[in-house]
């Protein structure tokens, strides 16, 4: 690995037809990027899409490589990745910046023999949208631990419903989700303490949300994502005035007590644009999750695979058995094995 990663950051000469080995960084349309090329480059390229980054999270300059980058370099693949022009729910920037970087690589250096795309966590949603939007750009795609649910549904089911449910069963912890003066974040510890004080209600929530009581503090992350999204989109993106909730104990009492929100039309439209999946894919796609993921629970794992099947694209899909516990907790060997599966599927098509 040392021979692959111990390289000098530099700029390729504009006339180069084929990139030499190295790690190269720059900026495209206000988005940092990084391109790594191994000494034994096989002529193929992996576009890599990272997960959710909270607004204000530290960003290194020049851009650092994602943890999975060495896996692909050791196999002889070049890797290109964008930092994206924004943080938070940067789905639109992620898709545009990654496609811009791919075109930059082709236009400035060389057309790869094959181009693959890989994403993890929120990057999974962005990969799915990318192969739907640019089907002829890629030979295949891989998604691990991905939140591959259309944004409107993800916000409604994955963010707002759990927050509302916690607030209805254990009041006084979750702020008003649409109030302009609501804080941008809440502390994990505040939720953890409330869970300890209300074990019965916490057990109901965990069972309904396919989590564990000790993982419910992850709702603090959901809350932060929602508040950032509201700021980006211009208001509350979910309308639950007529929603009927089930599975939270006394459903009649729950539906009487749960907070109701009227969505902002602009925010609803923004959520649909960024992004709604169709399930129509035309390249091999390999997907894998961890067996237990507190950030992206198993209730979301089958959503995109089922959507792909309904769209008539099942022949392109491979879902690997889940492994390990935690969010995006894969070993290099597991990531490598999943990518090998993609390569076999791509060569067979």
């Amino acid at each position: 690995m040392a021979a692959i990663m111990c390289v000098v950051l530099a700029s390729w000469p504009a006339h180069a037809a084929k990139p030499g080995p190295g790690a190269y960084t720059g900026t495209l349309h206000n988005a940092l990027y990084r391109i790594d090329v191994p000494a034994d480059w096989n002529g193929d390229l992996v576009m890599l899409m990272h997960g959710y980054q909270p607004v204000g999270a530290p960003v290194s300059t020049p851009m650092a490589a994602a943890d999975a980058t060495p896996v692909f370099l050791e196999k002889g693949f070049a890797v290109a990745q964008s930092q994206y022009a924004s943080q938070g729910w940067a789905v639109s920037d992620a898709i545009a910046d990654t496609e811009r970087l791919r075109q930059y690589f082709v236009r400035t250096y060389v057309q790869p023999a094959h181009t693959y795309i890989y994403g993890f966590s929120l990057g999974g949603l962005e990969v799915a949208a990318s192969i739907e939007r640019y089907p002829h750009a890629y030979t295949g795609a891989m998604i691990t631990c991905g939140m591959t649910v259309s944004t409107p549904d993800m916000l409604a089911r994955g963010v707002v419903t759990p927050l509302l449910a916690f607030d209805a069963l254990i009041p006084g912890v979750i702020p008003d989700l649409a109030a302009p003066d609501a804080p941008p974040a809440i502390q994990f510890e505040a939720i953890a303490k409330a869970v300890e004080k209300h074990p019965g209600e916490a057990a109901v929530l965990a069972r309904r949300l396919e989590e564990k009581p000790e993982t419910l503090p992850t709702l603090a992350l959901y809350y932060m994502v929602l508040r950032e999204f509201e700021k980006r989109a211009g208001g509350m993106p979910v309308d639950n005035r007529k929603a009927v909730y089930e599975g939270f104990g006394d459903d009649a009492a729950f539906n009487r007590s749960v907070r109701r929100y009227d969505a902002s039309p602009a925010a609803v439209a923004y959520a649909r644009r960024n992004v709604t999946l169709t399930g129509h894919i035309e390249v091999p796609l390999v997907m894998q999750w961890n067996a237990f993921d507190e950030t992206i629970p198993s209730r979301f794992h089958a959503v995109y695979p089922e959507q792909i099947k309904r769209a008539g694209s099942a022949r392109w899909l491979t879902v690997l058995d889940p492994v390990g516990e935690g969010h995006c907790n894969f070993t290099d060997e597991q990531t490598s094995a999943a990518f090998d599966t993609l390569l076999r599927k791509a060569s067979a098509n």
Side-chain angles (χ1 to χ4, degrees), residues 166-210:
F166 192 97
D167 181 57
L169 295 177
I170 308 177
V173 180
I174 307 299
D176 187 327
L177 300 183
D181 59 349
I186 53 178
Q187 296 299 313
F188 279 69
E189 292 78 9
I191 297 178
K193 290 179 180 178
V195 167
E196 290 180 2
K197 291 180 180 178
H198 302 273
E201 290 81 358
V204 171
L205 281 167
R207 184 169 55 252
R208 173 63 172 77
L209 300 176
E210 299 180 28

Side-chain angles (χ1 to χ4, degrees), residues 16 28 55 100 102 106 130 138 160 169 201 207 218 221 237 247-248 251 260 265 287 293 297 338:
L28 289 174
V55 174
R100 186 175 293 114
R102 186 193 68 80
V106 172
S130 294
Y138 296 104
V160 171
L169 295 177
E201 290 81 358
R207 184 169 55 252
T218 304
L221 172 61
F248 292 103
D251 288 333
R260 303 289 174 170
M287 305 182 74
D293 185 335

Side-chain angles (χ1 to χ4, degrees), residues 4-237:
I4 294 172
M5 298 304 292
C6 292
V7 292
V8 178
L9 295 175
S11 297
W12 294 335
H15 62 272
K18 181 179 179 179
Y24 306 95
T25 63
T27 303
L28 289 174
H29 285 246
N30 298 316
L32 296 173
Y33 72 83
R34 180 184 179 109
I35 299 171
D36 290 89
V37 182
D40 56 346
W41 184 41
N42 63 12
D44 292 346
L45 175 67
V46 173
M47 302 299 301
L48 194 153
M49 304 187 81
H50 67 71
Y52 184 89
Q53 290 183 340
V55 174
V59 174
S60 63
T61 303
M63 182 182 175
D67 290 344
T69 301
V71 173
F72 304 110
L73 295 177
E74 286 186 337
K75 291 179 176 294
F77 291 80
V79 180
Q81 48 201 305
S82 173
Q83 179 60 51
Y84 317 150
S86 66
Q87 296 176 308
W89 198 261
V91 173
S92 58
D93 284 338
I95 297 168
D97 291 335
T98 298
E99 174 60 14
R100 186 175 293 114
L101 179 57
R102 186 193 68 80
Q103 292 183 17
Y104 171 82
F105 188 101
V106 172
R107 182 179 63 251
T108 308
Y109 305 111
V110 66
Q111 173 69 57
H114 305 93
T115 302
Y116 300 88
I117 186 168
Y118 164 64
F120 57 90
S121 196
L122 184 59
L125 174 62
E126 296 152 0
V127 164
S130 294
I131 61 174
E132 288 188 3
R133 191 170 300 181
Y134 308 109
H136 304 299
Y138 296 104
T139 304
M142 185 171 86
I143 296 171
T144 57
C145 54
M147 173 51 83
T148 45
V149 181
S150 294
T151 299
D153 191 28
M154 190 283 298
L155 289 170
R157 295 175 54 207
V159 175
V160 171
T161 293
L163 290 171
L164 291 177
F166 192 97
D167 181 57
L169 295 177
I170 308 177
V173 180
I174 307 299
D176 187 327
L177 300 183
D181 59 349
I186 53 178
Q187 296 299 313
F188 279 69
E189 292 78 9
I191 297 178
K193 290 179 180 178
V195 167
E196 290 180 2
K197 291 180 180 178
H198 302 273
E201 290 81 358
V204 171
L205 281 167
R207 184 169 55 252
R208 173 63 172 77
L209 300 176
E210 299 180 28
E211 297 192 33
K212 300 175 183 178
E214 58 267 30
T215 66
L216 290 175
T218 304
L219 290 173
L221 172 61
Y222 296 172
Y223 177 85
M224 179 183 66
V225 169
L226 178 65
R227 294 301 291 165
E228 189 276 330
F229 188 95
E230 288 176 324
K231 184 176 181 180
R232 180 185 292 266
M236 164 61 82

